[in-house]
Amino acid sequence: MEASYTPPQPIVGIAHSDLRLVCVRSTVTVIGLYGETIEVPCNNGAAKPEDLIFTKWKYKMDDGTSGDLLVKQAHKEQAQIQAMDGYKDRVTIAANSSLMIQGGSLVDQRTFTCMVVYGSNLDEHPVDVLVHTAFGLICYVVFCLFQLGVCTAADANPAAVIMWSKNGKLLVADGKTIIITPSVKMDPSTGLSTTTSGLQYTAVKSDVGAKFTCTAKHSLETQVSAPETFVIHYPTEKLSLQVLAKTPIREGDNVTLKCNADGNPPPTSFYFSIKGQKVTVKDSDTFTLTAVTRNSTGDYKCSLVDDDKMEASEKVVVSYLDLSLSPTGKVLKMVRDTLLVKMEQDASGDAKVSWTKDNRKLDETPRFDNVTYADAGFYVCEVSVAGIKRSQSFQLVVEGTPVIKKMTEHHSEDGRHKVLTCEAEGVPRPSVQWSINGTNEENSYINGKATHKITVVPTGNLTITCIATNKLGNHFMRVDSVFAGALFDMLFLFVGAQDDSSDQALLIVFIVVGLIIAAALVGLFYWLYIMKSRRGTWKTGEKEAGTSEESKKLEECKAKV
């Protein structure tokens, strides 16, 4: 016994396949093989009219309109190719006026029409073309019951029994979607039987990739044929629109719209609705929006050319961000001026705003109702939304005439000198000068504040002046009797230097204090004397000046002191 899958049998003049279409159509149907030359007969191969003028072939395009392929004048040997698309290099006309299509493919499954013009007549002969693969029928599942194959078990006794399976599961004939036609023939000369079984099958979507086998069962053995698959074509039932772009989509980006159909084969042309305008795309399932703007935001749709009611839509959102800052660049203000900072932003979503000053984050938008030197710095405003960042900045420069805030003095570490300090505010940086010479000068300038220190040796009571100057003006401050206690300072310095005898040091202190008290008493006595003399003058009208004898006594007192 031998089990085998019967190879395709020829259908005369058209294509090689044993998968015969059972559907009834209103026009002539031609079946061609995938990858082979498809011959489409004109008027079913009838003879040409004697008064033929020309023969023209055209086809039905995806959008339903008619497209020209070629025209052959009766008195010319060569045909004129009129096709401008993919058929330009694939179509020719045979001597019997048949259309020859090279390299048959799924896109050739359409209606071709042969137009014959003769005498005063014009006849059109439409032909539907189907394309088959080697082991399957390309057919819409809702229409077709087709011959899947024939299985033969030859030279068996008793006759073998043939069964059909799909994906290992036994198929049972129902007379509608599954029809199994068995037959047994006996060879009279040998007495051996040959069993043949044909399978007609109506495919469904789920049969894509299904494996069919036939099994020949005999009392002695069982044989199973090699599995076979077939191509199933079904119409599109659902569309989806896919947006191909980096997210977020920003102004200037290119956005590709891809229309996906679940039919097999998928449609080759689509309608794309772009901002309410319908655009036809042929031989492609994509449409690209170039350099999109914020105005490109909206709903986009795609639909089938032959059924525009079946559509899919998707929303495209273009992110954008505009930032306006006032002021920008370098801003010069005088101290205690007012500066208004205004920031405006227009964004596609909720924007995040942040401020920094000299690379340090600020908690809020800067306000300058009364500008100070400490406000000077580099300010940056940064706004972000959906992956987009914008920033603008300004440099605030605060200037003012110098103002001396204070003058101070203190002893040096060794106790023998005085350290004078003058603090002044001003921009540009003020220069500081003193009315007294000093040593060990120290300078610093931070946030518009200049500090200048000098070291001096106490020599007596003085009036010290500090002068701060810049291009805008100057300011000075005086301190009178800075060294009023210089005598005491020198005294205690002297006492501090006497390490041999504390009693001696204490004696010196008493002497000095006594001299000071004596001088004070002399001064008080002199003042009382003058006051008494003046009272006498007011009464007598004498001059305010004292007698020569009194003047002499006063000079003697001063000398003793």
Side-chain angles (χ1 to χ4, degrees):
M1 181 186 71
E2 179 181 358
S4 64
Y5 183 82
T6 303
Q9 301 298 318
I11 297 178
V12 178
I14 297 185
H16 291 75
S17 176
D18 64 344
L19 306 179
R20 302 182 62 189
L21 188 65
V22 181
C23 301
V24 178
R25 301 178 184 271
S26 60
T27 58
V28 176
T29 300
V30 169
I31 301 176
L33 282 178
Y34 187 91
E36 303 294 333
T37 299
I38 302 174
E39 181 178 353
V40 186
C42 179
N43 194 16
N44 291 322
K48 302 176 184 179
E50 292 182 356
D51 55 348
L52 177 66
I53 299 175
F54 67 85
T55 302
K56 181 177 181 179
W57 278 97
K58 54 186 180 179
Y59 72 105
K60 186 177 181 181
M61 296 193 297
D62 293 335
D63 60 0
T65 60
S66 178
D68 295 335
L69 292 174
L70 56 81
V71 61
K72 170 70 168 60
Q73 300 290 339
H75 61 279
K76 292 185 179 180
E77 293 184 359
Q78 299 295 328
Q80 179 183 359
I81 305 299
Q82 296 177 318
M84 300 300 294
D85 51 13
Y87 284 113
K88 181 179 180 180
D89 300 319
R90 295 177 57 211
V91 294
T92 57
I93 189 169
N96 63 354
S97 298
S98 294
L99 177 68
M100 309 301 290
I101 305 175
Q102 299 178 5
S105 65
L106 301 181
V107 297
D108 298 323
Q109 293 191 126
R110 61 179 79 238
T111 300
F112 295 84
T113 301
C114 177
M115 187 174 69
V116 181
V117 178
Y118 60 98
S120 59
N121 301 311
L122 186 153
D123 294 338
E124 291 190 344
H125 307 283
V127 182
D128 286 343
V129 173
L130 296 178
V131 180
H132 290 194
T133 61
F135 295 106
L137 171 68
I138 298 178
C139 178
Y140 288 130
V141 297
V142 294
F143 296 142
C144 298
L145 175 72
F146 57 88
Q147 185 83 10
L148 177 64
V150 176
C151 188
T152 301
D155 302 328
N157 186 40
V161 177
I162 296 178
M163 297 173 293
W164 290 90
S165 299
K166 183 186 75 172
N167 294 331
K169 184 178 180 180
L170 184 66
L171 292 175
V172 179
D174 59 9
K176 295 180 179 179
T177 59
I178 301 175
I179 299 176
I180 299 175
T181 308
S183 67
V184 178
K185 292 184 179 180
M186 180 182 291
D187 186 344
S189 61
T190 62
L192 299 177
S193 299
T194 297
T195 302
T196 302
S197 179
L199 174 63
Q200 291 178 286
Y201 185 78
T202 301
V204 294
K205 262 188 180 182
S206 59
D207 289 328
V208 174
K211 296 181 179 181
F212 291 82
T213 59
C214 67
T215 302
K217 283 192 174 183
H218 190 262
S219 58
L220 297 179
E221 64 175 313
T222 299
Q223 292 188 13
V224 181
S225 68
E228 299 289 344
T229 60
F230 59 94
V231 178
I232 301 174
H233 279 202
Y234 44 87
T236 297
E237 296 178 349
K238 185 179 180 181
L239 291 178
S240 63
L241 183 60
Q242 187 178 4
V243 178
L244 304 177
K246 294 181 180 180
T247 56
I249 301 173
R250 296 176 290 187
E251 289 189 301
D253 289 349
N254 293 336
V255 178
T256 298
L257 305 176
K258 180 178 175 62
C259 197
N260 299 310
D262 64 352
N264 187 35
T268 57
S269 299
F270 295 90
Y271 286 140
F272 284 88
S273 180
I274 311 299
K275 303 295 285 184
Q277 182 178 2
K278 186 177 289 187
V279 178
T280 303
V281 176
K282 297 181 179 179
D283 301 323
S284 178
D285 58 0
T286 62
F287 183 87
T288 300
L289 306 170
T290 58
V292 296
T293 66
R294 65 192 65 185
N295 295 328
S296 302
T297 295
D299 292 324
Y300 291 81
K301 300 178 181 179
C302 73
S303 60
L304 297 179
V305 171
D306 55 358
D307 184 9
D308 58 3
K309 293 183 179 179
M310 184 180 296
E311 64 180 18
S313 64
E314 194 68 34
K315 187 175 183 63
V316 173
V317 177
V318 180
S319 298
Y320 61 89
L321 175 60
D322 295 332
L323 173 62
S324 174
L325 179 65
S326 176
T328 58
K330 185 177 180 180
V331 181
L332 178 61
K333 286 291 180 179
M334 298 299 291
V335 68
R336 291 180 294 278
D337 278 356
T338 298
L339 174 62
L340 176 63
V341 177
K342 185 179 181 181
M343 186 276 294
E344 294 180 343
Q345 52 91 9
D346 182 19
S348 54
D350 293 334
K352 180 181 179 182
V353 181
S354 63
W355 283 88
T356 60
K357 175 191 175 184
D358 298 331
N359 296 322
R360 293 184 179 180
K361 187 176 181 180
L362 300 177
D363 294 331
E364 58 184 9
T365 302
R367 294 176 57 90
F368 305 102
D369 297 329
N370 189 12
V371 174
T372 65
Y373 293 116
D375 292 328
F378 185 70
Y379 292 83
V380 178
C381 176
E382 183 177 89
V383 182
S384 61
V385 59
I388 305 176
K389 288 185 178 181
R390 299 281 188 269
S391 64
Q392 291 193 11
S393 62
F394 65 90
Q395 176 76 43
L396 176 58
V397 178
V398 181
E399 292 188 350
T401 57
V403 176
I404 298 176
K405 292 298 183 179
K406 64 178 178 178
M407 292 176 61
T408 60
E409 62 165 314
H410 66 273
H411 287 290
S412 62
E413 293 182 358
D414 60 7
R416 299 181 180 181
H417 302 83
K418 288 281 188 174
V419 178
L420 304 179
T421 302
C422 183
E423 296 181 2
E425 290 183 349
V427 177
R429 179 176 182 172
S431 62
V432 178
Q433 294 179 329
W434 296 86
S435 61
I436 187 174
N437 294 328
T439 59
N440 299 329
E441 293 189 13
E442 296 180 20
N443 292 280
S444 65
Y445 186 69
I446 301 174
N447 292 330
K449 180 180 179 181
T451 302
H452 193 273
K453 296 181 180 180
I454 60 172
T455 301
V456 298
V457 177
T459 59
N461 297 337
L462 295 174
T463 297
I464 304 300
T465 303
C466 174
I467 303 175
T469 306
N470 66 11
K471 68 177 184 179
L472 301 176
N474 60 71
H475 185 242
F476 67 90
M477 180 180 287
R478 292 190 179 96
V479 176
D480 295 328
S481 301
V482 174
F483 301 116
L487 183 59
F488 287 99
D489 291 337
M490 294 176 63
L491 174 61
F492 284 105
L493 286 175
F494 174 76
V495 171
Q498 308 303 315
D499 296 329
D500 296 338
S501 174
S502 59
D503 293 338
Q504 184 179 5
L506 184 59
L507 178 60
I508 295 174
V509 170
F510 286 145
I511 293 174
V512 173
V513 172
L515 291 174
I516 294 174
I517 293 174
L521 291 174
V522 171
L524 178 60
F525 173 78
Y526 177 73
W527 179 78
L528 292 174
Y529 175 79
I530 293 299
M531 293 300 294
K532 183 179 179 181
S533 299
R534 286 184 176 179
R535 283 197 299 270
T537 303
W538 292 338
K539 292 179 180 180
T540 60
E542 295 178 356
K543 295 182 179 179
E544 294 183 358
T547 62
S548 59
E549 184 179 352
E550 290 173 345
S551 299
K552 184 177 180 181
K553 289 181 180 180
L554 181 59
E555 291 298 331
E556 290 177 356
C557 290
K558 289 182 179 181
K560 290 180 181 180
V561 175

